[in-house]
Amino acid sequence: MRSSRLVAASLAGVVVSGPAVSTTVPASAVSTSHSAPALSVSPAPAKGLTLTLPAPRGRYRTGESVFRLADGGRADPWVPSRRQRELMISVFYPAAHTRGRPFTNQFPAAVAAKVGPAVETNVNLPAGLVDWAATRTHSVQDAAMAPGRFPVVLYSPGAGDPRDWNVSLVEDLASRGFVVVTVDHTGEAPAVQFPDGHVVGNGPLMEAWAQAFQDGTTPAFLTKLTDVRVADTELVLDRLTGLPDRLTNGMDLNRIGMFGHSAGGFTAANTMYGDPRIRAGVNMDGTMEYTAEPDGTNLSEVALHGLDRPFLLMGSSSAADGSDVHREPSWASFWRHQRGWKADVTLDDSAHASFTDAEALLPQLAGRVPDATLAAAVGTVDSHRAVAANRALVASFFERFLKGCDDHLLDGGASRYPITFVR
């Protein structure tokens, strides 16, 4: 079934994986449950294996800066008593000098304490096998930006996923000369930590999802979820000029793109539909309709009318919830109505979470967990080739449409990557 591409993870009662509108934890696992039980998280042991993210392959070293954004004109949609909407973003960028300085952690400890157990539960990993707080990025905190002016690309995670669940892809893009802004849609992921130390979880959203599931009002819930994400993205776009000069001086805001996984891919398409500031976008395995099990009955406006700017669809090949313009109703509609450049590429032998850090991290557990467990999470594609393919496709797209440099990978010819172009 395809519900994992829409409501995966926490929403469905499991955690991780978030399709077009999924809701709750890393896409390391895909929920196939038809019930909506409450999420339970148990603390992980202090010790565990340290997993490593692959190094970026571009010419630049990378830096990372973290910021809180607040919208005083909008109450929190999941907790209305909170008078303002608060978001956390990370900015990854080409850096000048980073040698000798420590790399940042993928997750703050408080976030890892919630995300890790969620991943373990949903992927059927032994509790405490991994030390989720130990994984490091390849970026230095607040490093000096490299000289030049770089295009800006926003990243929206799958519903239920933290913004830090695609660092491998984000860092690689930054190393190729892009400023990449990752967005936490507060209230969806198991934990979002703010600069003063307080952590916001996803309890209220989970309760709302369970009620909608029970009442048969999931389309309305998913519509609200997507609208909230679009409003969050608009806030980020509006506030880019307010970031520190050390970053804005190197950002070319006339060249903005956006990509996302699952619900994040849907968010990219929906935001582009109403905001011309985004010149090009990528949807990685996210349905574009407001239905728990995509069947074409609740198509979005962008699926019904398409876009007038370039848009890339990247789909998984799973027999259960894979996606392409022949199998996914919302993609088929979008394909027919798309007026701008378009392409549909399938990552062979992949699963929904293959477009996230699950693909880079979980295969490192081979030999410690059953092969079937890993295959259920990220498919059977070779993890190194999958990561390389994702990086190459996303970079090729944004190089072409934000920099005017075309390596012709997206022309659809023979490729050294495990991909298939869908016609």
Side-chain angles (χ1 to χ4, degrees):
M1 75 169 211
R2 306 248 255 313
S3 62
S4 64
R5 295 187 59 246
L6 207 264
V7 238
S10 311
L11 285 197
V14 201
V15 181
V16 184
S17 155
V21 214
S22 63
T23 335
T24 333
V25 182
S28 332
V30 177
S31 164
T32 56
S33 171
H34 282 251
S35 61
L39 173 68
S40 64
V41 175
S42 56
K47 299 292 184 179
L49 298 173
T50 296
L51 304 182
T52 59
L53 291 165
R57 297 297 185 183
R59 58 176 289 205
Y60 295 99
R61 298 180 184 275
T62 57
E64 179 189 6
S65 294
V66 176
F67 302 96
R68 168 187 173 271
L69 303 182
D71 184 354
R74 181 167 56 122
D76 188 285
W78 308 114
V79 185
S81 60
R82 294 176 186 154
R83 297 297 182 85
Q84 60 181 356
R85 177 64 166 166
E86 292 182 293
L87 304 178
M88 287 298 296
I89 63 171
S90 292
V91 182
F92 291 84
Y93 53 90
H97 304 289
T98 62
R99 291 178 184 171
R101 298 178 59 187
F103 294 145
T104 61
N105 288 330
Q106 180 181 21
F107 299 116
V111 173
K114 297 294 185 180
V115 168
V119 176
E120 292 165 354
T121 297
N122 289 285
V123 191
N124 295 316
L125 300 179
L129 176 62
V130 174
D131 182 354
W132 297 100
T135 301
R136 290 189 173 274
T137 71
H138 295 86
S139 301
V140 167
Q141 182 177 351
D142 300 334
M145 182 179 271
R149 288 181 62 79
F150 306 100
V152 177
V153 179
L154 275 60
Y155 173 73
S156 176
D161 287 357
R163 72 183 189 275
D164 307 303
W165 196 234
N166 221 334
V167 171
S168 172
L169 184 52
V170 165
E171 282 190 316
D172 186 72
L173 195 58
S175 77
R176 297 173 189 252
F178 294 86
V179 175
V180 187
V181 182
T182 65
V183 184
D184 250 327
H185 300 285
T186 309
E188 290 189 23
V192 177
Q193 184 173 13
F194 288 86
D196 64 1
H198 84 277
V199 176
V200 176
N202 58 7
L205 179 143
M206 294 291 289
E207 292 177 7
W209 162 248
Q211 190 64 52
F213 190 93
Q214 178 179 322
D215 296 344
T217 57
T218 55
F221 174 90
L222 297 174
T223 300
K224 175 181 177 178
L225 182 77
T226 307
D227 289 347
V228 168
R229 287 170 147 261
V230 170
D232 290 346
T233 306
E234 294 284 352
L235 174 63
V236 174
L237 288 169
D238 292 342
R239 298 294 176 82
L240 289 177
T241 56
L243 296 179
D245 290 347
R246 63 181 176 82
L247 296 176
T248 57
N249 288 341
M251 296 163 58
D252 185 347
L253 297 182
N254 291 314
R255 295 184 290 167
I256 298 178
M258 184 171 180
F259 71 116
H261 171 245
S262 193
F266 190 14
T267 302
N270 260 346
T271 306
M272 285 183 68
Y273 186 74
D275 195 322
R277 287 177 291 183
I278 302 175
R279 293 175 50 177
V282 181
N283 177 354
M284 298 185 295
D285 215 38
T287 186
M288 293 191 281
E289 66 170 284
Y290 308 109
T291 310
E293 296 187 39
D295 57 9
T297 59
N298 287 277
L299 297 178
S300 63
E301 290 298 304
V302 70
L304 289 169
H305 303 292
L307 297 165
D308 60 0
R309 280 150 288 157
F311 202 79
L312 172 64
L313 298 170
M314 293 172 59
S316 61
S317 62
S318 165
D321 31 80
S323 54
D324 59 49
V325 295
H326 301 302
R327 290 194 290 169
E328 167 62 55
S330 65
W331 284 25
S333 177
F334 175 83
W335 190 261
R336 290 193 301 270
H337 296 96
Q338 170 68 350
R339 289 151 288 148
W341 180 97
K342 63 186 180 184
D344 181 4
V345 186
T346 297
L347 180 62
D348 299 336
D349 302 316
S350 64
H352 184 60
S354 294
F355 301 95
T356 71
D357 282 335
E359 186 62 70
L361 296 176
L362 296 186
Q364 295 173 44
L365 301 177
R368 297 176 182 269
V369 298
D371 290 345
T373 297
L374 298 178
V378 293
T380 58
V381 62
D382 178 82
S383 62
H384 299 289
R385 299 188 70 214
V387 169
N390 289 334
R391 288 174 162 186
L393 289 166
V394 172
S396 177
F397 178 80
F398 287 122
E399 288 277 356
R400 181 171 181 172
F401 294 108
L402 297 183
K403 291 185 177 181
C405 303
D406 189 1
D407 64 0
H408 299 289
L409 174 62
L410 293 171
D411 289 351
S415 173
R416 60 192 178 95
Y417 300 108
I419 58 176
T420 300
F421 283 81
V422 183
R423 308 298 184 186

